[in-house]
Amino acid sequence: MGGDGGTIISRRDCLRFNKGRKGKDVSRDMERMTKWLHCALSQEPLSRPVVGCRLGRLYNKDRLIEFLLNKHRHHSSSTGAGGSLSNMSHIRSLKDVKDVTLCERNVGTSGAASAEVKDDTTTTPHSFPFCCPIMGMEMNGVYKFALLWNCGCVLAERAIRQLHLSLCPNCNTAFKSEDVVIVHAEGEDLELMQSRLDAKMALEEEKREAKKRKSLSHSDSSSEVELKKKKLLTAEKSKTDVETKLNTAEMKESDSFRSLFHTNKSRNKLDPNRGFWSETTHSYFFKGT
């Protein structure tokens, strides 16, 4: 028992090692349960209706609507505070999220998936209410789950990868590879989701700029049309004024127009039948009468 160079491991060393590893497992499990069982915005228990964003985070829809209605107040209160509100810049309206279809897990059923979860984790079985409708796996963070953006169905990523289908196996809605959003993505998956989101936002910004340029060009062309119309109206008015002046000049040169005024020489001549016209008495008279 000594002097031979051997090492004796006591029970205390074994318990100390197991205790440290158990603590790490518990903290990791608690973090996983908090992420998959609670709203990413309000940290309240996840309950229908549920929506998801392009980064794979799940939210209670009513809390997200409240956040969008009071966005300016939330932004001012969270300035410099960090937290979940600082990660909401990519959600500007309900168009940036998708209604999620979650499959309720039947508590009375048991299978290989639930047995694996019970052995690999420290949580009790059936503590996660949702599962994959195709493979029956618990949506507990042990397995990857994916959100199909076109239809909103949440399935196990393994089912999508192994079936090699272009239609959702749950609702038969067509989808593409870029429509697959990993739920609560981490590491490389999160980088992929972020790059897709950045590309989508850049494309939308480019479309808005193109629409703005088109509206500006349309307004410029309409202003040019209005200017041409104004010039045509001015030309027509000037032409009408010239014609009116010419007609007036011709009318003034006519004898009928001149006969209306006393300065007309023809009116100063003697009318053998009626005599001279008097502007004072407005009557005809003969000289000497």
Side-chain angles (χ1 to χ4, degrees):
M1 292 298 297
D4 56 353
T7 303
I8 300 174
I9 301 177
S10 64
R11 180 174 177 272
R12 182 183 302 175
D13 296 332
C14 297
L15 292 177
R16 187 182 300 137
F17 174 76
N18 291 334
K19 182 178 180 181
R21 192 173 66 176
K22 184 177 179 180
K24 293 181 181 178
D25 292 341
V26 170
S27 62
R28 186 168 59 250
D29 290 339
M30 291 298 296
E31 181 182 358
R32 178 169 54 86
M33 288 182 64
T34 302
K35 182 186 297 184
W36 286 82
L37 291 176
H38 296 80
C39 170
L41 175 62
S42 63
Q43 302 304 319
E44 296 178 356
L46 204 62
S47 60
R48 288 191 174 93
V50 179
V51 295
C53 68
R54 286 281 183 175
L55 295 180
R57 299 172 187 145
L58 301 180
Y59 310 90
N60 290 335
K61 189 173 184 179
D62 53 350
R63 296 305 179 192
L64 183 64
I65 292 175
E66 292 178 3
F67 167 78
L68 293 176
L69 292 177
N70 304 315
K71 191 171 183 179
H72 298 290
R73 182 171 63 84
H74 283 297
H75 179 72
S76 60
S77 63
S78 63
T79 302
S84 59
L85 296 181
S86 61
N87 298 325
M88 300 292 293
S89 59
H90 62 290
I91 300 180
R92 295 164 292 184
S93 66
L94 289 179
K95 294 181 180 180
D96 297 325
V97 296
K98 184 71 176 180
D99 290 332
V100 173
T101 303
L102 295 174
C103 178
E104 290 281 354
R105 189 177 189 279
N106 191 356
V107 178
T109 60
S110 60
S114 61
E116 291 177 4
V117 173
K118 183 177 179 181
D119 293 337
D120 295 340
T121 64
T122 59
T123 58
T124 59
H126 313 308
S127 59
F128 294 89
F130 306 114
C131 68
C132 173
I134 305 302
M135 305 187 70
M137 295 178 176
E138 273 189 350
M139 199 174 76
N140 54 14
V142 176
Y143 310 99
K144 280 187 181 181
F145 273 72
L147 163 65
L148 301 182
W149 194 261
N150 284 2
C151 59
C153 294
V154 176
L155 310 172
E157 189 266 345
R158 184 186 302 178
I160 300 175
R161 185 178 67 253
Q162 291 181 354
L163 292 177
H164 300 288
L165 297 177
S166 59
L167 299 176
C168 173
N170 189 39
C171 64
N172 292 328
T173 302
F175 69 92
K176 298 179 181 179
S177 58
E178 55 268 21
D179 298 326
V180 179
V181 178
I182 302 299
V183 179
H184 293 301
E186 296 178 350
E188 295 181 357
D189 293 332
L190 181 59
E191 294 178 359
L192 178 60
M193 299 300 107
Q194 186 67 53
S195 62
R196 289 179 179 176
L197 178 62
D198 294 340
K200 179 180 177 295
M201 296 180 69
L203 182 61
E204 291 179 352
E205 185 67 23
E206 185 178 352
K207 288 183 179 179
R208 283 194 294 268
E209 291 295 333
K211 187 176 181 180
K212 186 177 180 180
R213 289 193 298 268
K214 186 177 180 180
S215 62
L216 289 175
S217 62
H218 180 70
S219 61
D220 293 340
S221 61
S222 61
S223 61
E224 292 178 359
V225 171
E226 292 294 333
L227 183 60
K228 289 182 180 179
K229 288 183 179 180
K230 189 175 181 179
K231 288 182 179 180
L232 289 175
L233 290 176
T234 305
E236 291 179 358
K237 186 177 180 181
S238 61
K239 183 178 180 181
T240 304
D241 293 341
V242 170
E243 292 178 352
T244 303
K245 289 180 180 180
L246 291 176
N247 294 333
T248 304
E250 292 178 357
M251 181 180 65
K252 288 182 179 180
E253 293 295 331
S254 64
D255 296 335
S256 300
F257 181 79
R258 288 181 176 182
S259 64
L260 299 175
F261 304 95
H262 68 278
T263 56
N264 188 13
K265 295 180 179 181
S266 62
R267 296 187 62 175
N268 295 330
K269 294 180 181 180
L270 175 65
D271 190 345
N273 297 325
R274 295 182 292 181
F276 292 96
W277 174 260
S278 174
E279 293 291 342
T280 305
T281 60
H282 295 284
S283 61
Y284 288 95
F285 71 94
F286 289 95
K287 287 184 177 180
T289 58

